[in-house]
Amino acid sequence: MGDLFSKFDPLIEQRETLLQGGVTDPFNLVMERVESPTVAICNGKRTILLGTYNYMGMTFDPDVIAAGKQALEDFGSGTTGSRVLNGTYVGHKAVEQALKDFYAMDDAMVFSTGYQANLGVISTMAGKDDYIILDIDSHASIYDGCALGNAQIVPFRHNDVEALDKRLKRLPPEAGKLVVLEGVYSMLGDVAPLKEMVAVSKAAGAMVLVDEAHSMGFIGERGRGVAEAQGVIDEVDFIIGTFSKSVGTVGGFCVSNHPKFEILRLVCRPYVFTASLPPSVVATAATSIGKLMDSADKRTHLWENSKRLHAGLRQLGFTLGTDEPQSAIIAVIMPDLETGAAMWEALLREGLYVNLARPPATPAGMTLLRCSLCALHSEDQVGEILGMFAAAGRATGCIS
Ligand SMILES: Cc1ncc(COP(=O)(O)O)c(C=O)c1O
């Protein structure tokens, strides 16, 4: 009998080799206690969190927690049903209203995760004979959305407007086309030239979907994302987002102004064939989204943190994913997986948690230490973080 696991042997071997060197498993860290959006106890040690995507620090907001507790009391622990059967409570409608208000859009549809939102909207919108034109560095959920549907997939070079334009011009003019972009690309923390990309997409008659998972709450005057910041939010057909980053809980969504948008509730399989979010989750999300609208001071502080960390790491001699800070993600490029894992562990020993990212999630086979800042990191914490990078970098030979 063929062992279906044998295809994973190279990965198992790579993992075993890495762990034999005595390093802590970077993909199996346990948070023993979480004290705040920026500090947890890991291996019994106070650890600054710099890899959580908790950009706006909403997870411990007292209003958010109170709303969740109240909903748990009033509506129970779960809905035990799909949105189209018994799984739509007043809280689900309230969070969809909060999203419509936040984005100033006509319609909002909430999914159980952001992953499912991409899976559902992409696979349902682009059918047989349609084309999906996507940035080659797109998130796994975008690729999986393509795989679930029947459309033709046309990738183009990362953030390359000319390449997108060329691909679009080669497609049959009358064919249905969906251009899929991200506001912030989460591996390197770079921002898409949405203004130009939306212009060439619209000129080719394509609809545009933008995943703003890593920009919601932070980028744009009202925190609506890169499409807002670049002045094209009204030209985008679908914005996809998640509750698992700035909103501080779990869930996903799509907002749109398209007059026929509501039909998706009946035809989108990752919306129909799964249970809806628990009442406590949608209550926390609605409260958090409401507060994010008026968080200009936090956005300003987060930009300051991002600039401070980027400049400090550069000064220490690290190679970074972007020349300038473009978002709340700052990626430190490691020469290889072994060095990356050693540096990750040295940082953890210092009391700092970052994300270790490696292929296939990363572009161009890179190993990255990804730092995601929080609006609640204090100036002192950013200073502490830089001190830890200096010590770990020297200990591992990453910097001199
Ligand atoms: C760009 C992007 N889209 C979608 C998702 C999925 O979000 P969720 O965690 O809600 O499934 C992520 C999560 O990492 C992401 O980075």
Side-chain angles (χ1 to χ4, degrees):
M1 192 183 72
D3 180 3
L4 296 174
F5 277 101
S6 58
K7 55 180 155 302
F8 305 119
D9 286 348
L11 185 60
I12 291 169
E13 201 180 295
Q14 185 197 49
R15 192 178 146 80
E16 277 169 359
T17 312
L18 194 70
L19 297 181
Q20 267 162 17
V23 299
T24 312
D25 184 351
F27 306 109
N28 205 11
L29 180 76
V30 177
M31 307 252 168
E32 288 139 23
R33 210 167 69 234
V34 181
E35 294 189 345
S36 74
T38 62
V39 174
I41 306 297
C42 304
N43 301 321
K45 186 176 167 66
R46 174 186 175 269
T47 305
I48 297 184
L49 300 174
L50 191 68
T52 64
Y53 302 135
N54 195 354
Y55 300 122
M56 298 297 279
M58 299 306 286
T59 48
F60 281 79
D61 181 278
D63 297 329
V64 168
I65 289 176
K69 279 185 180 164
Q70 193 62 53
L72 192 59
E73 289 280 340
D74 294 348
F75 292 94
S77 57
T79 68
T80 70
S82 159
R83 286 295 304 275
V84 297
L85 296 173
N86 56 309
T88 296
Y89 290 10
V90 284
H92 297 84
K93 298 314 280 183
V95 75
E96 286 173 346
Q97 187 58 51
L99 285 165
K100 289 194 257 182
D101 295 342
F102 183 85
Y103 283 101
M105 290 224 177
D106 294 341
D107 285 295
M109 199 169 150
V110 165
F111 292 75
S112 298
T113 62
Y115 177 87
Q116 281 163 286
N118 270 331
L119 214 57
V121 177
I122 294 170
S123 65
T124 312
M125 287 312 304
K128 192 171 168 305
D129 302 326
D130 296 331
Y131 291 86
I132 298 171
I133 307 93
L134 84 171
D135 188 296
I136 200 155
D137 287 353
S138 293
H139 188 258
S141 57
I142 292 174
Y143 275 106
D144 292 356
C146 295
L148 190 65
N150 298 313
Q152 304 283 329
I153 312 304
V154 183
F156 64 90
R157 211 170 81 144
H158 178 56
N159 270 353
D160 187 333
V161 181
E162 218 172 288
L164 167 62
D165 193 32
K166 267 193 199 150
R167 300 286 181 286
L168 282 165
K169 283 182 174 147
R170 266 190 230 143
L171 300 178
E174 70 288 355
K177 304 175 198 81
L178 179 66
V179 172
V180 180
L181 307 167
E182 293 177 38
V184 170
Y185 284 85
S186 65
M187 287 300 141
L188 297 178
D190 54 333
V191 160
L194 283 190
K195 194 175 162 68
E196 294 78 8
M197 289 189 152
V198 169
V200 299
S201 303
K202 291 285 150 180
M207 293 181 95
V208 178
L209 177 152
V210 181
D211 180 333
E212 297 269 22
H214 293 275
S215 37
M216 181 191 187
F218 172 39
I219 295 182
E221 197 189 339
R222 307 290 311 266
R224 291 173 185 155
V226 177
E228 181 191 30
Q230 297 188 13
V232 287
I233 196 160
D234 292 333
E235 289 153 68
V236 167
D237 298 278
F238 307 99
I239 291 180
I240 295 280
T242 174
F243 296 161
S244 72
K245 308 194 191 303
S246 284
V247 178
T249 176
V250 67
F253 64 87
C254 180
V255 291
S256 175
N257 281 327
H258 197 285
K260 297 180 186 167
F261 183 71
E262 282 289 314
I263 196 64
L264 282 182
R265 291 191 200 271
L266 296 183
V267 294
C268 184
R269 294 168 71 87
Y271 177 83
V272 174
F273 293 102
T274 195
S276 64
L277 288 168
S280 54
V281 167
V282 286
T284 56
T287 307
S288 178
I289 293 163
K291 295 188 85 165
L292 287 179
M293 288 176 81
D294 301 312
S295 297
D297 290 351
K298 274 181 157 184
R299 286 190 262 284
T300 305
H301 180 70
L302 186 46
W303 270 121
E304 282 161 8
N305 279 347
S306 177
K307 286 177 192 156
R308 201 174 291 132
L309 184 65
H310 190 282
L313 287 172
R314 224 169 175 191
Q315 208 168 12
L316 286 172
F318 289 102
T319 308
L320 306 182
T322 56
D323 290 342
E324 300 294 329
Q326 296 185 20
S327 68
I329 299 170
I330 292 169
V332 183
I333 301 173
M334 292 284 107
D336 51 56
L337 180 59
E338 290 67 32
T339 315
M343 180 70 188
W344 179 87
E345 191 177 40
L347 285 172
L348 192 65
R349 289 223 178 101
E350 289 287 326
L352 183 66
Y353 173 75
V354 298
N355 296 138
L356 177 66
R358 57 162 191 194
T362 52
M366 283 192 257
T367 296
L368 302 172
L369 292 178
R370 254 166 352 134
C371 308
S372 55
L373 284 149
C374 174
L376 300 190
H377 280 125
S378 65
E379 199 177 332
D380 284 352
Q381 279 178 322
V382 178
E384 253 187 282
I385 291 166
L386 286 168
M388 291 170 181
F389 260 97
R394 286 185 192 117
T396 54
C398 286
I399 53 169
S400 46

